[in-house]
């Protein structure tokens, strides 16, 4: 058995067709897209095409897409950009306790800059109740930012309902859709989004490139000041190859969705069911409203990093919210926010499937994980049969 | 990230288990931080003749646990008490900076096991 | 004659060897560098190698390099990051009037956030007098940021002397070395830099990736918050292929410098001399202390964009500080800061040579430019023979 | 960026030059903004029979200058006065948004040339 990659929520390999699409922009269409001469116009055309494709897949307009240097930058731009721009209107921001650090740490940093924040708690399935959002809105609330699909335990948040509330109250709404774009159908207009972040390397595109959808009329300060690129909202020579790659990957993900996602979901369910048979195992995240490729469980009495290292020895690449994989002592803020105890939260395992995941791989994982869990439990001072 | 030595001790931990009639037991760490080590020692004539551990924790925690049991067996109590956490880390060809706290765990559990042994002896 | 590319200061094509070095990281070494499993460790190793190479070329230490999403981001991080971090110490920033917009607009934005700035003027050669910097330092000055090589008119600023003054006064010093890294030898320790920005696509590396050197001990707030990447100073999944590309391109530029730069300089001087023979032409920038590949002249009575379009018709890609290429009405802020009148400043032409520039190309340009200038002058209501 | 029509007029501008015995001359723009157009017209029986221009400016400025001379030749003064800047831009198959101000230049210079003609006639 080859190595098995089950960490697609972390990153994905770039599709060969996407690399093919990108290569010409490294060598021939390499011009600065802002220039008047032919090389520049060619680059500009490639950029325009990529923007049109991206906008089309998301149901957005051409000028509503800002390309960024990744998902984290898109989140930072959305949150800091609107915070700074609306500073005179108010200083309160609402978010959830289970956001990705790109949102959470950004909001926390804004707290050091005179803003105030409310971090809404979630239920034991990791779900946020929209009513909580409504209750948290104050006179001076300027932004609500709640993620679409949770990168760790996979729950899909009721962002449409939150968007409705935000619109009703006249507050801007941003969603971090880094985990859903590419796997769930997204229509920003239908969903009522003001801003939405995505990151190409989560859907078989290149790393270091993302996008922020910004609804026409929503104004924000730049995060990166300088040249007039991206209609003055994101300075820096456009990374044309990467942007081409993003658009190509997004379009392909969109096209194959109906074929690929049901199959991933089926394998995901098999995997989840198999792992659940291990004693003292908790399934994390909502059972139904869940990212199609996400499996997240906690095995009591063991710690995540040693689990991952053991799986790696068996050729399986997986992830954990374990503290020891992040260099901190606290386990996953997401699992703790769902009410899990430290002990259980430390023993989390995330397996995220991809378009190239096979039945055989799932079988192999289902064979190895119980053995590894057993081995570590026998070594654990907390475990008593 | 980890040295080959760490990975060796992690993959093939030495002296895993409990000693039923141990002369000293030490436990260090807590679930909050995700690291708990329990260490049992058997002492004869002031010499540690056997040591076993159980550890809940990351790769570094398991490897340092394994390493310290190897290091103490055959040592006098005085010698064993001299073992510092850096000595354990060095014996493993180093640990990543963020993992250095794990080596404290092992040395501290050892100290507790020795203290326990001494207390037992005193009260005996 | 093929198309001739003479806009290397804007961007460069990626070297084939650099693309080769990057490709494996798209397909095989694609893992998330922060992960514990083998794919992640391989990516981490590639990242470590790239960081070591980059540090070695710059005379920096391994941990003093922060990879960013480009030169603009590096500038923004240096300036905003230290401004925010040192806010309690003071609020005054010193810079020059001829900086790239990535510096200028960043400092101007900070002015809207309660900081104060001094924009130092330059002489007619575009040079900044270090004494001016000394005089501008106040009790509450927290940062001096002056570029190394000017992207427009090519003057090389006395950054070492400014760094000495900054050190003596206990003020942080940042330099935007986007135009010099890759062509001039850089040793951050010898030069006494606290922070230094660079951008890979200026030296035959990929776009969308840059780096900020930050001297050990200098602390800054993040610009992009989130994950713990880059030792907590720049969040976002590392763009491993691009970072590999940056390091590879930098190393190669460093190795071939002694062979390539003298030849570029020679061609540059031929070009400059030839263009000077056109009547009513002004050479911009310092004659000696000048980027080796930079030619910048103003032709009286004509406007830059129409000059560029005409050159493009002849197959020559060039640049201008012309207002009409940037969508504004004001011509180049750099040329105006050097004391040029609006009329002259509008007629600027920048030709920047590269490693693949040939003698023949220079000949061809020297043949075409006078004809084009003539044609436009005959059409100009300002021109009277 | 520019339409083919714009590029055609930029590359092969029609009616460049001066009319020595012009009946009206108009100049618009200033060096600050980098756009100056000067337009000469020859008028016979209320009809513009010839027009020539000189322009200092960007591609759009030159193309709109060229285009407006083509548009006015053969038109009565009244018809010529009706020519709006958007009409010039449309005749060129559009201009990039940032360049729309250039089309003002041409229409304004034309108006000035017509005004000049009228003033000349009045005073004659
Ligand atoms: C001097 C200078 N600084 C900063 C930049 C910005 O670099 P980038 O376009 O990679 O963001 C450039 C080039 O565009 C430059 O020439
Ligand atoms: C939900 C979510 N938001 C933001 C990010 C950050 O994206 P990037 O690593 O591309 O900056 C990620 C992934 O790392 C994510 O899963």
């Amino acid at each position: 058995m080859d190595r098995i990659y089950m960490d697609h929520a972390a990153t994905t390999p770039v599709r060969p067709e996407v690399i093919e699409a990108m290569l010409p922009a490294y060598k021939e269409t390499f011009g600065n897209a802002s220039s008047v001469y032919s090389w520049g116009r060619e680059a500009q055309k490639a950029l325009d095409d990529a923007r049109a494709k991206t906008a089309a897949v998301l149901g957005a307009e051409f000028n509503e897409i800002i390309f960024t240097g990744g998902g984290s930058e898109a989140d930072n731009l959305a949150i800091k950009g609107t915070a700074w721009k609306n500073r005179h209107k108010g200083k309160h921001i609402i978010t959830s306790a289970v956001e990705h650090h790109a949102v959470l740490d950004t909001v926390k940093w804004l707290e050091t800059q005179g803003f105030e924040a409310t971090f809404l708690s979630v239920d034991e399935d990791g779900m946020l109740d929209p009513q909580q959002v409504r209750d948290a809105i104050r006179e001076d609330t300027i932004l609500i930012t709640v993620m679409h699909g949770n990168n760790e335990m996979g729950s899909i948040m009721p962002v449409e309902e939150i968007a409705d509330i935000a619109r009703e109250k006249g507050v801007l709404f941003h969603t971090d859709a880094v985990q859903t774009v590419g796997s769930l159908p997204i229509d920003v207009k239908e969903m009522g989004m003001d801003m939405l972040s995505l990151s190409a390397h989560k859907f078989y595109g290149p790393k270091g490139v993302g996008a922020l959808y910004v609804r026409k009329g929503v104004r924000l300060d730049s995060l990166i000041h300088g040249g007039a690129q991206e209609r003055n909202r994101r300075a820096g020579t456009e990374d044309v190859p990467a942007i081409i790659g993003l658009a190509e990957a997004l379009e392909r993900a969109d096209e194959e969705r109906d074929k690929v996602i049901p199959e991933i979901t089926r394998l995901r369910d098999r995997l989840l069911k198999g792992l659940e048979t291990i004693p003292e195992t908790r399934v994390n995240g909502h059972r139904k409203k869940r990212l199609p490729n996400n499996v997240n469980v906690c095995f009591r009495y063991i710690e995540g990093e040693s689990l991952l290292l053991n799986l790696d020895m068996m050729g399986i690449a997986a992830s954990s919210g374990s503290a020891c994989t992040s260099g901190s002592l606290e386990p996953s803020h997401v699992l703790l926010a769902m009410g899990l105890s430290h002990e259980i939260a430390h023993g989390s395992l995330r397996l995220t499937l991809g378009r190239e995941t096979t039945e055989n791989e799932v079988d192999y994982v289902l064979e190895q994980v119980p053995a590894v869990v057993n081995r570590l439990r026998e070594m654990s001072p907390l475990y008593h049969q | 990230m980890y040295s080959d030595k760490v990975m060796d001790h992690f993959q093939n931990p030495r002296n895993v288990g409990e000693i039923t009639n141990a002369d000293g037991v030490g436990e260090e760490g807590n679930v909050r931080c995700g690291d708990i080590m329990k260490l049992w020692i058997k002492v004869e004539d002031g010499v540690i003749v056997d040591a076993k551990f159980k550890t809940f924790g990351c790769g570094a925690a398991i490897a340092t646990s394994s390493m310290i049991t190897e290091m103490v067996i055959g040592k006098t109590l005085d010698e064993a008490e001299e073992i510092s956490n850096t000595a354990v880390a060095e014996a493993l060809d180093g640990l990543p900076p963020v993992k250095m706290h794990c080596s404290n765990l092992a040395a501290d559990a050892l100290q507790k096991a020795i203290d326990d042994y001494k207390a037992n002896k005193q009260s005996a």
Side-chain angles (χ1 to χ4, degrees), chain A, chain B:
Chain A
M1 175 73 51
D2 272 356
R3 296 192 297 181
I4 294 172
Y5 186 72
M6 289 230 179
D7 200 17
H8 290 85
T11 194
T12 56
V14 183
R15 293 165 92 116
E17 315 93 288
V18 167
I19 299 177
E20 282 314 310
M22 292 167 67
L23 280 178
Y26 283 121
K27 307 181 201 177
E28 296 121 42
T29 333
F30 71 86
N32 187 321
S34 309
S35 307
V36 300
Y37 45 74
S38 58
W39 275 278
R41 294 195 307 268
E42 286 155 19
Q44 184 63 52
K45 183 168 179 323
L47 201 57
D48 286 350
D49 287 350
R51 198 184 307 277
K53 271 190 198 179
T54 306
V57 172
L58 301 175
E61 289 173 35
F62 185 84
N63 283 328
E64 293 179 328
I65 304 295
I66 304 178
F67 291 115
T68 68
S72 300
E73 188 193 321
D75 285 341
N76 275 258
L77 172 58
I79 298 169
K80 293 178 188 165
T82 47
W84 287 319
K85 179 60 90 191
N86 295 292
R87 179 161 234 166
H88 59 284
K89 289 199 203 142
K91 55 178 191 230
H92 182 236
I93 298 170
I94 297 171
T95 187
S96 86
V98 295
E99 298 297 310
H100 187 272
H101 282 290
V103 169
L104 218 49
D105 291 6
T106 300
V107 174
K108 284 185 183 158
W109 181 78
L110 284 173
E111 287 186 305
T112 71
Q113 303 291 311
F115 291 88
E116 292 172 15
T118 300
F119 299 89
L120 297 175
S121 60
V122 294
D123 67 18
E124 53 174 29
D125 287 331
M127 295 299 280
L128 182 67
D129 180 357
Q131 184 60 40
Q132 270 193 285
V133 176
R134 185 183 289 277
D135 296 344
I137 294 176
R138 313 191 315 204
E139 269 299 302
D140 63 345
T141 304
I142 50 175
L143 176 69
I144 300 167
T145 172
V146 172
M147 71 199 316
H148 192 198
N150 185 279
N151 50 299
E152 228 176 289
M153 46 67 187
S155 293
I156 294 171
M157 301 292 178
V159 288
E160 289 94 338
E161 292 172 51
I162 300 172
D164 283 346
I165 294 168
R167 198 173 323 108
E168 183 194 320
K169 297 283 189 177
V171 178
L172 287 174
F173 179 58
H174 164 252
T175 193
D176 173 344
V178 167
Q179 287 291 334
T180 49
V181 170
S183 67
L184 301 191
I186 302 281
D187 186 310
V188 289
K189 302 289 168 192
E190 262 179 32
M191 294 167 72
M193 299 295 123
D194 290 320
M195 289 172 283
L196 178 145
S197 308
L198 59 92
S199 181
H201 71 97
K202 305 288 186 183
F203 48 82
Y204 305 91
K207 295 179 176 53
V209 63
L212 181 67
Y213 157 78
V214 181
R215 185 173 55 70
K216 196 152 79 187
V218 173
R219 298 188 54 221
L220 30 73
D221 272 19
S222 290
L223 181 68
I224 300 178
H225 288 87
Q229 292 92 351
E230 300 297 309
R231 295 161 63 87
N232 266 313
R233 293 170 303 181
R234 200 280 186 180
T237 303
E238 298 92 342
D239 186 358
V240 180
I243 291 170
I244 291 173
L246 180 154
E248 184 75 22
L250 183 59
E251 198 174 56
R252 286 181 184 263
D254 193 50
E255 279 164 12
E256 73 178 19
R257 179 178 305 111
D258 292 345
K259 214 182 70 216
V260 168
I261 297 300
E263 177 61 10
I264 289 182
T265 310
R266 190 182 67 77
L267 291 175
R268 192 265 322 260
D269 288 341
R270 263 201 63 209
L271 189 53
L272 204 50
K273 205 174 238 171
L275 294 177
E276 271 192 278
T277 63
I278 299 175
E280 306 208 56
T281 295
R282 182 191 199 279
V283 174
N284 300 315
H286 198 281
R287 295 264 177 176
K288 290 273 150 52
K289 293 175 190 156
R290 186 181 194 91
L291 291 172
N293 71 340
N294 175 288
V295 170
N296 190 305
V297 291
C298 282
F299 303 114
R300 204 173 189 125
Y301 311 124
I302 65 178
E303 190 278 336
E305 192 206 74
S306 52
L307 181 58
L308 296 192
L309 287 171
N310 268 292
L311 290 177
D312 182 49
M313 281 155 52
M314 318 305 353
I316 300 167
S319 160
S320 167
S322 150
C324 260
T325 62
S326 65
S328 90
L329 294 177
E330 285 285 304
S332 156
H333 68 282
V334 174
L335 299 180
L336 293 182
M338 292 162 65
L340 273 68
S341 72
H342 278 71
E343 184 198 335
I344 299 182
H346 275 295
S348 73
L349 174 68
R350 181 186 73 177
L351 294 161
T352 43
L353 286 60
R355 57 194 295 274
E356 69 285 16
T357 301
T358 64
E359 194 95 37
N360 275 346
E361 291 182 341
V362 170
D363 287 340
Y364 181 79
V365 170
L366 282 176
E367 203 180 290
Q368 297 299 328
V369 173
V372 166
V373 169
N374 237 10
R375 179 166 184 262
L376 286 170
R377 283 185 174 169
E378 309 238 289
M379 220 186 268
S380 169
L382 306 174
Y383 184 61
H384 307 282
Q385 278 106 327
Chain B
M1 171 166 88
Y2 287 130
S3 71
D4 291 345
K5 200 93 162 250
V6 171
M7 284 310 293
D8 176 41
H9 275 269
F10 173 73
Q11 293 178 25
N12 312 295
R14 332 304 195 231
N15 307 307
V16 177
E18 309 187 6
I19 298 177
T20 23
N21 291 317
D23 298 314
V25 188
E27 182 171 319
E28 185 59 44
N30 65 65
V31 277
R32 248 195 115 74
C33 302
D35 273 333
I36 301 181
M37 179 187 182
K38 202 163 171 184
L39 181 70
W40 290 261
I41 53 173
K42 191 95 204 142
V43 183
E44 279 173 21
D45 301 332
V47 172
I48 298 177
V49 293
D50 198 10
K52 287 206 186 301
F53 79 95
K54 282 200 169 180
T55 291
F56 162 86
C58 66
I62 290 176
T64 47
S65 302
S66 165
M67 178 49 91
I68 207 164
T69 59
E70 272 208 333
M71 289 170 80
V72 294
I73 294 174
K75 286 219 166 53
T76 64
L77 290 174
D78 285 353
E79 286 166 347
E81 279 188 293
E82 292 290 298
I83 297 174
S84 66
N85 49 50
T86 46
V88 182
E90 271 167 28
L92 287 165
D93 294 344
L95 284 174
V98 292
K99 298 289 185 179
M100 284 305 292
H101 70 273
C102 301
S103 58
N104 298 352
L105 198 68
D108 292 353
L110 173 62
Q111 188 59 55
K112 284 196 176 172
I114 294 174
D115 291 349
D116 182 50
Y117 163 77
K118 289 182 179 166
N120 289 341
K121 229 181 82 171
Q122 211 121 32
S123 67

